[in-house]
């Protein structure tokens, strides 16, 4: 069972890293500010998964004092990470759907984070199982709150892909949270449930990011390169004519091009006429369409 759980952790961690990398690349090409918050959120969740995997590895392969020290270090970092998520997850969820992050949200989740931190420290020292159960229930409440906010505001999400992703996350969570609660009765399945939940979450988000990348490619946001003279080599365009073409593609008139290049308007007219002749087009619109095909 431990070996299978570790395998799930490794797969989850690998997919989580891929999702994080995709999210970083996506944020570089997207104007949406939420992507930066998502990166923080996913990195924190990924950190939790890594810590759980390390904890399992230490239990399997380490013994004696080293095992105890590693356990307490991992536990301390894990508690700190989840304490942060206890506040950040609801903040991120409410911010994304444009609800103000104010009281009672601030007060409630700050208190819950403090409660989780206190329970975590006390549990690490005493090892009382009921404290661990309370920590699970507390975090399940936080996740449940986030899912409720998402569910109530699905209609306000204009992006169809994002809305479908939220629905999938809600469905996955609706299936997994009862299993995590079941682990309160059967503690042996708890580590596996964490891994499966994060795995399903990463797959869902990765699918969303792939679909968004496809959309960005279609819109030309990604993959578009600047037009170069070599792209028009078959038309035998000169460097000066290429300079005129670049300004035409920027929407400039012949007079504006003349001023920009420091030449007369008649010279620009001649260049444009030569460009039309070489490319066999009759208008600027035809030329712009040709340029799009050459990109």
């Amino acid at each position: 069972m431990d070996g299978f759980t570790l395998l799930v952790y490794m797969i989850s961690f690998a997919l989580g890293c891929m999702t994080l990398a995709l999210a970083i690349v996506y944020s570089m090409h997207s104007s949406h500010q939420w992507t930066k918050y998502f990166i923080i959120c996913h990195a924190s969740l990924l950190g939790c998964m890594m810590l759980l995997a390390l904890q399992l590895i230490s239990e399997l392969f380490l013994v004696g004092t080293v095992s105890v020290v590693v356990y307490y270090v991992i536990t301390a970092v894990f508690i700190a990470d989840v304490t942060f998520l206890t506040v950040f997850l609801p903040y991120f969820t409410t911010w994304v759907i444009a609800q103000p992050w104010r009281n009672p949200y601030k007060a409630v989740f700050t208190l819950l984070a403090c409660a989780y931190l206190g329970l975590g420290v006390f549990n690490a020292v005493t090892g009382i199982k009921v404290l661990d159960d309370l920590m699970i229930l507390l975090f399940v409440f936080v996740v449940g709150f986030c899912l409720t906010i998402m569910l109530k505001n699905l209609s306000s999400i204009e992006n169809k892909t994002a809305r479908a992703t939220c629905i999938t996350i809600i469905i996955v969570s609706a299936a997994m949270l009862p299993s995590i609660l079941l682990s309160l009765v059967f503690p042996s399945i708890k580590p596996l449930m964490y891994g499966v939940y994060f795995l399903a979450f990463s797959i869902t988000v990765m699918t969303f990011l792939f679909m968004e990348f496809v959309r960005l490619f279609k819109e030309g946001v990604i993959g578009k390169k600047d037009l170069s003279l070599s792209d028009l080599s078959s038309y035998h365009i000169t460097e000066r004519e290429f300079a005129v073409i670049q300004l035409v593609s920027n929407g400039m008139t012949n007079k504006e091009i003349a001023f920009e290049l420091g030449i007369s308007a008649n010279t620009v007219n001649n260049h444009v006429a030569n460009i039309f002749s070489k490319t066999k087009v009759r208008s600027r619109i035809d030329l712009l369409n040709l340029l799009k095909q050459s990109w």
Side-chain angles (χ1 to χ4, degrees):
M1 183 69 173
D2 287 340
F4 180 72
T5 301
L6 184 59
L7 177 62
V8 172
Y9 280 0
M10 294 296 101
I11 296 173
S12 300
F13 183 72
L15 285 177
C17 288
M18 292 172 62
T19 303
L20 182 61
L22 285 173
I24 292 172
V25 175
Y26 178 71
S27 70
M28 295 168 62
H29 296 280
S30 173
S31 59
H32 300 300
Q33 192 176 358
W34 67 263
T35 56
K36 298 177 178 61
Y37 289 100
F38 173 77
I39 290 170
I40 296 172
C41 179
H42 190 71
S44 298
L45 290 170
L46 185 62
C48 289
M49 185 53 50
M50 180 186 68
L51 291 167
L52 288 172
L54 289 175
Q55 190 174 61
L56 184 58
I57 291 172
S58 68
E59 291 174 359
L60 291 174
F61 300 107
L62 298 180
V63 293
T65 305
V66 175
S67 176
V68 174
V69 172
V70 170
Y71 169 80
Y72 280 111
V73 170
I74 292 175
T75 300
V77 178
F78 182 82
I79 291 171
D81 197 353
V82 178
T83 299
F84 167 74
L85 285 170
T86 302
V87 175
F88 190 79
L89 277 177
Y91 167 75
F92 173 62
T93 306
T94 53
W95 183 87
V96 165
I97 62 171
Q99 285 194 2
W101 178 248
R102 61 190 180 195
N103 286 327
Y105 292 153
K106 278 185 180 180
V108 169
F109 289 102
T110 300
L111 287 173
L112 287 177
C114 293
Y116 186 92
L117 180 61
L119 288 170
V121 172
F122 197 47
N123 180 50
V125 174
T126 62
I128 300 175
K129 182 183 180 300
V130 69
L131 297 178
D132 189 45
D133 293 345
L134 288 174
M135 292 167 67
I136 293 173
L137 289 173
L138 191 153
F139 194 71
V140 166
F141 171 79
V142 172
V143 175
F145 168 82
C146 296
L147 295 175
T148 302
I149 291 293
M150 290 169 59
L151 186 60
K152 288 175 62 177
N153 293 274
L154 278 176
S155 59
S156 66
I157 302 175
E158 296 182 0
N159 186 308
K160 292 182 179 179
T161 306
R163 185 163 61 248
T165 302
C166 288
I167 293 172
T168 306
I169 290 174
I170 292 170
I171 293 172
V172 169
S173 299
M176 291 305 304
L177 287 182
S179 301
I180 293 175
L181 291 174
L182 188 64
S183 69
L184 298 176
V185 182
F186 303 101
S188 60
I189 68 171
K190 181 174 64 177
L192 180 60
M193 291 300 101
Y194 289 161
V196 172
Y197 190 12
F198 185 74
L199 178 62
F201 176 79
S202 294
I203 291 173
T204 302
V205 175
M206 186 180 292
T207 302
F208 163 75
L209 290 172
F210 273 124
M211 294 176 71
E212 281 294 286
F213 276 120
V214 170
R215 180 183 65 80
L216 292 176
F217 270 113
K218 288 182 178 179
E219 293 178 357
V221 177
I222 298 177
K224 181 179 178 180
K225 64 183 182 67
D226 293 332
L227 184 68
S228 65
L229 183 57
S230 61
D231 293 323
L232 303 174
S233 59
S234 61
Y235 300 107
H236 307 291
I237 300 295
T238 66
E239 290 187 7
R240 176 58 82 179
E241 289 169 347
F242 179 69
V244 172
I245 286 174
Q246 287 180 306
L247 297 177
V248 168
S249 66
N250 290 336
M252 288 188 176
T253 64
N254 285 2
K255 287 184 178 180
E256 290 172 335
I257 293 172
F259 179 79
E260 180 71 21
L261 297 179
I263 56 180
S264 69
N266 286 334
T267 303
V268 174
N269 291 338
N270 290 333
H271 284 315
V272 171
N274 289 335
I275 292 167
F276 283 7
S277 175
K278 290 180 179 180
T279 57
K280 295 181 172 56
V281 299
R282 295 183 178 182
S283 67
R284 283 175 170 245
I285 294 176
D286 291 339
L287 178 62
L288 292 175
N289 289 332
L290 178 68
L291 295 178
K292 288 181 180 179
Q293 296 173 10
S294 300
W295 261 313

